[in-house]
Amino acid sequence: MSARLPAAVRQLCRPRALCRYGSYPGPPRGGQWRLRAGQAFGSLGPNSPEPPARDSIVREVIQSSKEVLSLLQEKNPTFKPVLAIIQAGNDNLMQEINQNLAEEAGLDITHICLPPDSGEDEIIHQILKVNEDIRVHGLALQISEDSFSSKVLNALKPEKDVDGVTDVNLGRLVRGHAHECFVSPVARAAVELLEKSGMRLLLKCCFSLLLFIYYFLHRLQEADVVILGSPKPEEIPATWIQQDTVVLNCFHDFLSGKLRGGSPGVHVNSLISEDDVRLLAAALRIQNMVSSGRRWLREQQHRRWRLHCLQLQPLSPVPSDIEISRGQTPKAVDVLAKEIGLLADEIEIYGKSKAKVCLSLLERLQDQKNGKYVLVAGITPTPLGEGKSTVTVGLVQALTAHLKVNSFACLRQPSQGPTFGVKGGAAGGGYAQVIPMEEFNLHLTGDIHAITAANNLLAAAIDTRIFHENTQTDKALYNRLVPSVNGVRKFSEIQLSRLKKLGIDKTDPSALTEEEVTRFARLNIDPATITWQRVLDTNDRFLRKITIGQGSAEKGCSRQAQFDITVASEIMAVLALTDSLGDMKERLGRMVVASDKDGQPVTAEDLGVTGALTVLMKDAIKPNLMQTLEGTPVFVHAGPFANIAHGNSSVLADKIALKLVGEEGFVVTEAGFGADIGMEKFFNIKCRASGLVPNAVVLVATVRALKMHGGGPSVTAGVPLKKEYTEENIQLVADGCCNLQKQIQIAQLFGVPVVVALNVFKTDTRAEIDLVCELAKRAGAFDAVPCYHWSAGGRGSVDLARAVREAANKRSRFQFLYDVQLPIVEKIRTIAQAVYGAKDIELSAEAQSKIDRYTQQGFGNLPICMAKTHLSLSHEPDKKGVPRDFILPISDVRASIGAGFIYPLVGTMSTMPGLPTRPCFYDIDLDTETEQVQGLF
């Protein structure tokens, strides 16, 4: 080895290091290799030494690849690299060689065979398909020389280009980034074999354009043998190479390992055997594959996002939310997706600023460690809300845009009910919101509409089945349920499932006995036990109690029913708690809608509607990707109310986000209303379903709400605040901190550190702020921090972000509040006493009857989802502060078996809200010229 070469070049010239460690990138594809005659190898004529045995070299390369792959698979057991070979032609000689070597090394190979006369467009089409296939880690071409073109070769993704044919790979090598590129296995094989034959090899590796001109061209004039790895050898001027220099072209037909003499009269076999090159090149290609797989795995591991954050220029006074939203131009959602590590085939774009994320991402990142998991909850709020969504958004803006920590916000999708009712939108507020806020608040990608459609399809199926069973004989009913189509009569898949449930082991419809026909055809639903209601995503108090079936065609099958708001539907709860499409289908099938006349549960599966429900929900299951004002990522998915349902966004959104942020990142998810409702359900229901363990709780408080709990006048939406809330009043704040202290204690029941986030309003004084933070710390909060994200964006929540990061790094002592094996009544009592502070509970006769029925049906071991007012720790909305010694009345109990919880209704809790005297829709309008929405807030 020449001592005149730079040290880095000499290191690259050690092919044996490649065999030992699997890391040597080999000689450059686009460079040339100088072989200088000397004492070690004599002349280049017919009497040159015979090449060494190839088998030992190949074995060493394959064994090295196998060992490296084994090490990778120790940490990633499911990982197995796949090499795709696109072949256009009938030369199958290399298939067997590649297959055998790949199997020995532990790789998989897939061949894509095209007709020999395939054109450029067809080949490129196949290349682009393989590029986007996340299962494939390497791509090689076996096509005719006439098919090679710059367009074809550069269609390959450089990271999958294991033959090093793209200009990107060449460019990386020329810049000296040899560890980032792949090099032609054929050229490497030729160099390796020439060296083994006894030649002393000098490798010319160019690290810059100046070095190329000054050093490389000068030495090229002195070369005895030049090996070309360039896809464009004709572009190398003849004057660069002396006339008597031997030139070998290693590029053309590279997959087959064939070499061509680039100089007249050169016989390749006099130097090295094509068979030797063919076999060794195949082995080195396998080695490149292992390197490709290793790079791919490294990219899946935690890394800081290369996120382009959007700049904020906060104004004072702070404009309206919609003005702020429109003043910021969001990034294209596909750009955001790429920045956070999503692949092109893992998103489905809806317009410019939102997209659905495919669940296949979880499989790709299954070996990735989760980030930190943080819940945002709150104290008992005023009817105006205290800004949990705003705090959530401000916190992730601070973490990502200002502290440069990967973080994700996971929010619920807002219901149309509050958007057009009292509270308005739920995209956050001020300079801490999700954009575009109109799209966030209105329809989004249609998930709530899908739930409405699925829910009401099931409701229609229930009443329709009762109607047909009441008006038909067993035989007529059976013949219609299992009709003959084109002379063939057979059960559908879901009907076969029902037969299995009934213990009928028959698949021929004509083989059932009369008794079996009756059992199969009749569900015998007891109308008085129907718990499944129709839903609508609008606050409509006049649908709380209705009568259905009054038309003459319904033949007297009328009954009393009701509408719930869509977000109270069990299908919404299923969406929020499921972890896969298969799991969702099973949960939908398990949903209990009524009991039969023998007291046994009737399910959606019994009604035969499971598959149809899954079809309606197949897109809704995918989380929706959006962004904050500062360009940080947000998942918006599922929207169950916390006072009616379990009040948390989806398990799937959280799980995907935890993988995307990586081990050092943060996922901040929000629970609805106070810690006594949304947080309790998050821990006892959502964490049980997901298996995820929270690291910290952020408890949101406001001076306004604390003054209300301290005895301040009532707060009513749409009515101006009294002076007690706009002027300093230390005593009211101090008295109201009892509610904050109680909510901190509730969080501590679960063993999770609490950081209090005081959402500061412009009317709050320094004395009030300092008092709240001091009392919160005395109550056991890990820290208490005033937050100014509403007026300053993420920069205003940097102190909160630092406190949360420190708290989340503490060891979690998380525990559930109760054992699910306890009787239903005892679980309800535990929540009432430990969380709400009740003296005891009181069950209505109907509630006790339902509990007895669900226990008898085998549902007694499910967690509890209390439906209770969010405006008080008790069941009475006007009882503020910390009510004591009250009896909590349970008026009714429902079972959400598909979602997986029992659902007690506290007091007069309604599952269909009503509109106020002056709803928000008075202010909402559309500018018909610009098509801009007006009046949202």
Side-chain angles (χ1 to χ4, degrees):
M1 186 69 63
S2 171
R4 292 174 294 175
L5 288 174
V9 179
R10 294 201 303 274
Q11 179 62 34
L12 289 176
C13 293
R14 297 175 183 169
R16 309 308 295 159
L18 168 70
C19 301
R20 289 191 191 95
Y21 307 112
S23 60
Y24 167 67
R29 173 184 65 78
Q32 290 81 22
W33 294 264
R34 175 174 177 270
L35 295 145
R36 200 174 168 86
Q39 296 177 351
F41 50 82
S43 70
L44 293 173
N47 297 324
S48 297
E50 291 292 324
R54 69 188 178 196
D55 291 349
S56 62
I57 309 174
V58 171
R59 277 198 302 272
E60 191 172 355
V61 171
I62 293 299
Q63 182 60 30
S64 169
S65 301
K66 185 176 182 179
E67 291 172 0
V68 172
L69 182 56
S70 296
L71 290 173
L72 295 175
Q73 290 173 332
E74 284 182 11
K75 295 183 178 180
N76 308 276
T78 60
F79 173 65
K80 193 170 188 180
V82 176
L83 170 63
I85 297 177
I86 296 177
Q87 178 179 340
N90 299 318
D91 182 5
N92 298 321
L93 181 61
M94 285 301 297
Q95 283 195 23
E96 185 175 356
I97 294 175
N98 287 321
Q99 194 68 48
N100 290 339
L101 292 177
E103 288 179 6
E104 187 176 345
L107 310 180
D108 283 340
I109 285 188
T110 178
H111 273 87
I112 301 167
C113 296
L114 302 177
D117 58 350
S118 296
E120 182 180 81
D121 290 343
E122 187 173 359
I123 294 172
I124 291 175
H125 174 70
Q126 291 297 328
I127 291 173
L128 296 179
K129 285 175 62 177
V130 175
N131 281 347
E132 298 306 317
D133 190 340
I134 61 173
R135 298 165 300 180
V136 175
H137 304 88
L139 173 58
L141 302 178
Q142 187 174 354
I143 57 181
S144 67
E145 183 178 330
D146 294 338
S147 299
F148 284 117
S149 68
S150 179
K151 186 176 179 181
V152 168
L153 299 179
N154 287 303
L156 276 73
K157 264 190 176 178
E159 55 266 35
K160 293 188 179 184
D161 172 27
V162 292
D163 276 314
V165 299
T166 61
D167 288 346
V168 171
N169 272 311
L170 173 60
R172 287 171 178 168
L173 191 76
V174 169
R175 289 195 302 271
H177 301 160
H179 62 286
E180 297 180 0
C181 65
F182 294 109
V183 185
S184 164
V186 175
R188 288 168 58 191
V191 172
E192 176 94 358
L193 292 169
L194 284 169
E195 185 184 61
K196 287 296 179 183
S197 69
M199 296 181 180
R200 189 157 58 97
L201 176 66
L202 296 183
L203 172 63
K204 297 299 179 271
C205 183
C206 308
F207 292 92
S208 70
L209 184 59
L210 288 176
L211 180 61
F212 178 86
I213 296 171
Y214 176 76
Y215 182 77
F216 175 73
L217 293 182
H218 173 70
R219 305 301 290 176
L220 188 62
Q221 292 282 341
E222 302 175 4
D224 298 304
V225 177
V226 173
I227 302 177
L228 300 179
S230 171
K232 303 173 183 177
E234 68 281 355
E235 294 183 5
I236 299 176
T239 56
W240 286 11
I241 303 173
Q242 293 182 358
Q243 288 188 349
D244 58 349
T245 299
V246 175
V247 178
L248 299 182
N249 185 357
C250 294
F251 177 74
H252 291 294
D253 219 1
F254 51 85
L255 191 68
S256 69
K258 294 179 180 179
L259 301 176
R260 299 195 319 172
S263 304
V266 173
H267 299 285
V268 174
N269 287 339
S270 67
L271 300 176
I272 49 178
S273 164
E274 280 190 351
D275 288 341
D276 290 349
V277 172
R278 184 197 311 272
L279 187 59
L280 181 54
L284 293 172
R285 184 175 297 105
I286 296 298
Q287 194 169 64
N288 278 358
M289 268 299 303
V290 174
S291 296
S292 176
R294 181 173 51 191
R295 291 178 190 174
W296 183 84
L297 279 176
R298 188 168 59 241
E299 289 174 359
Q300 308 314 304
Q301 303 306 311
H302 166 69
R303 66 185 189 281
R304 182 174 294 175
W305 293 333
R306 295 176 181 175
L307 198 67
H308 170 65
C309 293
L310 305 179
Q311 297 299 310
L312 282 184
Q313 294 180 331
L315 301 176
S316 182
V318 177
S320 69
D321 291 349
I322 199 163
E323 288 178 298
I324 294 172
S325 175
R326 287 181 182 154
Q328 184 71 287
T329 302
K331 292 179 286 190
V333 71
D334 58 329
V335 173
L336 173 65
K338 186 175 181 181
E339 288 177 341
I340 62 175
L342 291 166
L343 303 179
D345 61 352
E346 290 173 341
I347 63 168
E348 297 170 3
I349 296 176
Y350 283 65
K352 297 178 181 179
S353 53
K354 54 187 183 289
K356 281 196 165 292
V357 175
C358 299
L359 306 189
S360 59
L361 176 67
L362 281 172
E363 182 179 356
R364 175 168 71 87
L365 299 181
Q366 60 185 318
D367 297 320
Q368 170 80 289
K369 291 185 178 179
N370 286 343
K372 298 291 193 301
Y373 196 32
V374 177
L375 175 70
V376 175
I379 65 171
T380 304
T382 69
L384 306 178
E386 308 317 306
K388 288 189 308 301
S389 299
T390 310
V391 169
T392 301
V393 174
L395 175 55
V396 296
Q397 287 181 171
L399 284 165
T400 306
H402 299 277
L403 298 185
K404 308 304 179 185
V405 176
N406 294 356
S407 72
F408 235 109
C410 291
L411 301 177
R412 291 174 295 163
Q413 178 181 351
S415 164
Q416 180 179 302
T419 299
F420 290 96
V422 177
K423 289 185 65 176
Y431 288 100
Q433 57 176 302
V434 181
I435 57 172
M437 65 96 77
E438 306 103 299
E439 295 186 25
F440 179 96
N441 287 310
L442 302 174
H443 305 294
L444 198 60
T445 57
D447 295 348
I448 291 181
H449 301 318
I451 293 167
T452 303
N455 185 101
N456 292 342
L457 175 63
L458 180 52
I462 297 167
D463 289 300
T464 297
R465 187 60 173 262
I466 294 173
F467 170 79
H468 288 303
E469 288 188 23
N470 286 345
T471 57
Q472 297 181 49
T473 64
D474 291 353
K475 183 178 180 180
L477 187 63
Y478 182 68
N479 287 340
R480 285 177 171 83
L481 287 171
V482 194
S484 176
V485 180
N486 296 326
V488 178
R489 195 178 188 192
K490 64 179 182 179
F491 294 113
S492 67
E493 288 297 322
I494 201 165
Q495 289 176 328
L496 290 171
S497 297
R498 173 158 171 76
L499 287 170
K500 185 176 181 181
K501 178 180 177 180
L502 294 171
I504 301 173
D505 189 21
K506 297 177 181 178
T507 58
D508 182 359
S510 62
L512 270 63
T513 65
E514 287 187 10
E515 187 268 340
E516 289 171 338
V517 165
T518 299
R519 290 173 59 208
F520 172 81
R522 294 200 175 274
L523 297 180
N524 286 322
I525 295 171
D526 180 356
T529 66
I530 295 174
T531 56
W532 195 263
Q533 311 298 344
R534 288 163 173 81
V535 298
L536 186 71
D537 194 39
T538 301
N539 291 356
D540 192 343
R541 65 180 69 247
F542 284 92
L543 294 177
R544 291 171 178 171
K545 190 67 69 176
I546 60 173
T547 302
I548 61 172
Q550 292 187 339
S552 59
E554 279 62 65
K555 301 180 182 180
C557 291
S558 65
R559 66 179 180 89
Q560 277 201 339
Q562 70 183 59
F563 271 80
D564 293 341
I565 194 162
T566 297
V567 291
S569 168
E570 184 176 352
I571 297 179
M572 174 63 87
V574 166
L575 176 67
L577 293 172
T578 190
D579 63 7
S580 68
L581 193 58
D583 177 61
M584 182 177 73
K585 184 176 181 180
E586 291 179 7
R587 286 176 178 268
L588 293 173
R590 290 200 305 265
M591 294 187 304
V592 173
V593 300
S595 296
D596 64 20
K597 293 175 182 177
D598 294 324
Q600 296 305 305
V602 178
T603 66
E605 186 81 2
D606 294 326
L607 285 159
V609 74
T610 306
L613 299 181
T614 308
V615 168
L616 288 171
M617 294 293 295
K618 70 179 180 64
D619 292 322
I621 195 175
K622 303 166 188 173
N624 305 294
L625 176 65
M626 295 188 75
Q627 64 192 281
T628 69
L629 276 166
E630 296 191 54
T632 68
V634 178
F635 274 144
V636 186
H637 198 218
F641 279 179
N643 56 349
I644 297 176
H646 68 283
N648 290 274
S649 61
S650 78
V651 166
L652 278 170
D654 289 359
K655 284 191 169 184
I656 292 174
L658 284 165
K659 295 297 183 184
L660 286 170
V661 298
E663 188 175 5
E664 301 301 320
F666 283 78
V667 170
V668 183
T669 190
E670 175 201 353
F673 298 125
D676 57 307
I677 303 182
M679 186 195 71
E680 181 270 314
K681 295 173 183 178
F682 173 85
F683 289 146
N684 283 320
I685 298 175
K686 185 176 179 180
C687 289
R688 286 186 202 270
S690 68
L692 298 173
V693 176
N695 298 98
V697 167
V698 174
L699 193 64
V700 179
T702 63
V703 168
R704 177 181 68 193
L706 293 173
K707 287 180 176 179
M708 179 190 70
H709 289 295
S714 62
V715 176
T716 304
V719 177
L721 291 171
K722 301 291 176 58
K723 64 181 179 61
E724 287 86 349
Y725 297 106
T726 58
E727 298 176 1
E728 181 175 282
N729 192 318
I730 296 296
Q731 190 59 51
L732 278 182
V733 174
D735 292 344
C737 278
C738 61
N739 187 273
L740 172 60
Q741 292 161 349
K742 172 63 175 175
Q743 301 287 9
I744 292 172
Q745 292 167 10
I746 293 171
Q748 290 173 332
L749 290 172
F750 298 90
V752 182
V754 180
V755 175
V756 170
L758 183 63
N759 187 17
V760 177
F761 294 175
K762 61 184 179 181
T763 54
D764 299 344
T765 68
R766 172 50 57 185
E768 291 171 332
I769 293 169
D770 290 344
L771 176 63
V772 174
C773 293
E774 176 61 27
L775 293 178
K777 293 174 186 177
R778 287 188 199 173
F782 177 85
D783 203 350
V785 183
C787 305
Y788 303 90
H789 44 270
W790 183 80
S791 58
R795 191 176 303 281
S797 282
V798 168
D799 289 343
L800 174 63
R802 291 194 175 106
V804 168
R805 185 166 59 178
E806 187 176 350
N809 284 325
K810 299 292 183 181
R811 184 178 178 184
S812 176
R813 297 180 289 106
F814 175 69
Q815 60 184 6
F816 296 115
L817 182 65
Y818 53 78
D819 185 339
V820 290
Q821 300 303 323
L822 287 172
I824 293 174
V825 172
E826 290 307 310
K827 286 180 285 195
I828 296 173
R829 180 175 285 114
T830 298
I831 295 171
Q833 293 178 335
V835 177
Y836 307 153
K839 183 178 180 180
D840 204 351
I841 62 173
E842 181 179 72
L843 300 173
S844 70
E846 184 177 3
Q848 184 64 65
S849 174
K850 295 278 188 70
I851 289 173
D852 293 342
R853 181 195 304 166
Y854 297 143
T855 302
Q856 180 269 327
Q857 291 175 344
F859 304 138
N861 61 346
L862 295 175
I864 303 299
C865 180
M866 303 286 276
K868 182 186 80 70
T869 179
H870 59 289
L871 296 175
S872 172
L873 283 165
S874 74
H875 58 288
E876 299 178 271
D878 59 338
K879 299 295 185 184
K880 306 302 181 183
V882 182
R884 301 182 189 278
D885 297 327
F886 60 92
I887 303 297
L888 192 75
I890 308 299
S891 59
D892 194 6
V893 177
R894 300 177 185 176
S896 295
I897 305 305
F901 53 71
I902 299 296
Y903 178 11
L905 275 70
V906 178
T908 57
M909 187 66 201
S910 172
T911 53
M912 170 56 84
L915 289 171
T917 303
R918 191 186 190 283
C920 296
F921 61 63
Y922 274 84
D923 302 307
I924 296 174
D925 200 357
L926 182 73
D927 186 322
T928 56
E929 296 295 328
T930 64
E931 297 188 12
Q932 283 193 336
V933 177
Q934 299 173 337
L936 276 179
F937 68 97

